[in-house]
Structures are given as C-alpha cells and as structure tokens.
Amino acid sequence: MKIIMLGAPGAGKGTQAIKIAEKYGIPHISTGDIFRANIKNGTELGKKAKEYMDKGALVPDELTCDLVVDRIHQDDCANGFVLDGFPRTIPQAEALDAALQKDNETMDFAIDIEVPDDNIVKRMGGRRACVNCGATYHIVSAPPKAEGVCDHCGGKLTIRDDDKPETVQKRLTVYHDQTQPLIDYYRKAGILHSVDGTQSLDDVFSEIVKVLG
Ligand code: AP5
Ligand code: MG
Ligand code: ZN
C-alpha cells in the first residue's frame, strides 16, 4: 500500500501518518523529519535545509527528490510506505511517478486532510514535538502523559523552530502556491480522497481507514 498524505502545514499529516504506519505495518517517511534529523546531526544536507526551513520556504527539489527515491527503494518499503510532506511541488510528484514507473508501479492513495487556515494557526501554537523520535503532541488536543516528555521514547518535547506565528503564515502561503496544485494532480490520477481534518484525531483516522480498507 503506497500512500501520500496531503494537507497544509499543521493539518495533521504526521499525526495520522504515524497511526497509518502502525496499523498497516509500513514505514512512515516524513521529509520534514529527515531534514530535522540532519539538522540535529549537523550534516551538510541539514545545514542547507535549515536555511530554507527557518524561513518557511521549501527546500529545493534537487535536495529532496533523490533522498525520497532512495528511501522508498529500501527493503522495508517492499509492502508500501506512507509519505508525509512529500511530494510538495508538481516536479516532486513527477519525479516520484517517474521513479515508480521504472518498476511498473504507481501510488495507490493520496489522502488530503482538509483544515481551514485560521484553524491551523491556532493549532500550531500548541504543538510540541519530540527532539528524539519526532512524535507530535498538542498541549490541548493530544497532550503527552507527562508534561514535556515523549510517551514513546522519553525524549524531551520542544516547540519547532518554524512554528513561530509569522513563519506559520509564510508556510501557509507557500502551501497554497506550490503544494495545493497537487490536489488536482492526484484527482486527475484518480487516487485523491479528501477527509475533514477538523474532526477529532480518532475521527479523522476512522475516515482514513474507511478509505484505505
Ligand atoms: P514538515 O515537517 O512536513 O511540516 P509541514 O508540512 O509544515 O507540516 P507539519 O509537520 O507542520 O504539520 P502536520 O500536517 O504534520 O501536522 P501535525 O500532525 O504535526 O516540513 C517542514 C519544512 O521542511 C517545510 O516548511 C520545508 O521547508 C521542508 N520540507 C519538508 N518536506 C519538503 C519537501 N518535500 N520539499 C521541500 N521542502 C520540504 O499536527 C499539527 C498539530 O495539530 C499537532 O500539535 C497535533 O497534535 C495537532 N492535531 C493534529 N490533528 C488534530 C486534530 N484532528 N484535532 C486537533 N489537533 C490536531
Ligand atoms: Mg508533520
Ligand atoms: Zn520521542
């Protein structure tokens, strides 16, 4: 099962992708998490990506596409994968399709989580993320069992550098300009499914499971 999560920053792509990965036993591949891990480890890729991420801009396609194509060819992706935050531009979607085509494969599902912009801005202020494993929490809607501590790995929870209100606004603008056109791209491919992302976490997940079967 090969799945793409679409949706604005803060729509809940990561939250739902983790649940999908668990239920269907496929890896969760988040380009944002990969870049943040590289930043934490001080790699060359991390240094380059940080310049763009801190501004709320997209990391250039050249730094992104090969990384994902390599990742989906690893052994653990044999039964599929859930992509979170990739593709984010039409050229990225085309690069993904081209890579799959070489193996006579296509994507199966593109799940668009719909949340209005004003709702997003409210959500982002309460988000906390684990510095260690990337798990995401919300101080109101999805709090950890112990304040400031990750339920999964005990790591410390922090506010992401790009969750400042002005950077969130910039990310939303970039989303509407560069990523939203993918909704039509996948509608034309016949694999688009939209879900209402303003529901509770569990209700959003039930709707997704109905789609995936
Ligand atoms: P990335 O890490 O992908 O960030 P994003 O797309 O902006 O999305 P977020 O991770 O902010 O939100 P999400 O949809 O995962 O929501 P979450 O589940 O956390 O990318 C970061 C940056 O990296 C980009 O800006 C770019 O620079 C770069 N980048 C990454 N991929 C790239 C690519 N392919 N090309 C170029 N550049 C790339 O949920 C948000 C909050 O809401 C949480 O607190 C959560 O608990 C809460 N929440 C979730 N669902 C609900 C609900 N139903 N009800 C109430 N609260 C909820
Ligand atoms: Mg995310
Ligand atoms: Zn953790």
Side-chain angles (χ1 to χ4, degrees):
M1 193 181 277
K2 298 188 286 305
I3 307 163
I4 294 167
M5 304 305 291
L6 294 174
K13 299 181 297 294
T15 303
Q16 298 298 333
I18 289 170
K19 290 160 82 78
I20 293 169
E22 264 170 27
K23 181 172 170 73
Y24 296 94
I26 51 178
H28 166 217
I29 303 174
S30 158
T31 40
D33 287 352
I34 294 171
F35 290 139
R36 281 184 288 278
N38 275 276
I39 292 172
K40 195 176 147 204
N41 296 329
T43 69
E44 273 313 303
L45 174 64
K47 280 177 202 151
K48 286 185 195 153
K50 188 171 168 35
E51 281 174 41
Y52 299 92
M53 290 170 75
D54 282 352
K55 287 187 284 198
L58 294 185
V59 177
D61 292 343
E62 309 84 86
L63 295 179
T64 310
C65 292
D66 291 350
L67 183 145
V68 175
V69 169
D70 286 349
R71 179 67 190 85
I72 64 174
H73 282 106
Q74 288 171 21
D75 291 345
D76 63 337
C77 293
N79 294 322
F81 45 83
V82 51
L83 293 179
D84 160 15
F86 182 94
R88 244 183 163 90
T89 62
I90 297 279
Q92 289 183 12
E94 289 170 348
L96 175 64
D97 282 349
L100 291 170
Q101 225 160 42
K102 283 188 192 152
D103 306 321
N104 281 319
E105 289 184 27
T106 52
M107 291 304 299
D108 301 310
F109 299 96
I111 309 281
D112 179 34
I113 307 182
E114 297 180 315
V115 179
D117 284 9
D118 49 349
N119 207 313
I120 300 259
V121 178
K122 281 184 213 137
R123 263 189 203 183
M124 296 302 232
R127 170 160 64 183
R128 299 293 180 271
C130 173
V131 286
N132 187 39
C133 76
T136 296
Y137 300 85
H138 190 279
I139 51 174
V140 179
S141 59
K145 292 194 184 88
E147 199 184 317
V149 182
C150 179
D151 292 352
H152 303 289
C153 75
K156 188 174 160 241
L157 302 184
T158 57
I159 298 175
R160 254 170 58 176
D161 287 344
D162 59 349
D163 276 353
K164 295 193 281 291
E166 59 278 18
T167 316
V168 171
Q169 280 301 345
K170 170 76 176 132
R171 284 161 60 202
L172 278 170
T173 307
V174 168
Y175 167 77
H176 290 300
D177 287 350
Q178 301 196 52
T179 307
Q180 217 170 12
L182 291 177
I183 294 177
D184 259 346
Y185 182 96
Y186 288 111
R187 186 180 288 122
K188 284 187 190 131
I191 61 167
L192 181 78
H193 301 267
S194 298
V195 301
D196 173 4
T198 64
Q199 311 170 85
S200 72
L201 302 180
D202 290 341
D203 288 348
V204 176
F205 187 57
S206 308
E207 228 187 292
I208 293 175
V209 169
K210 269 188 214 145
V211 170
L212 299 178

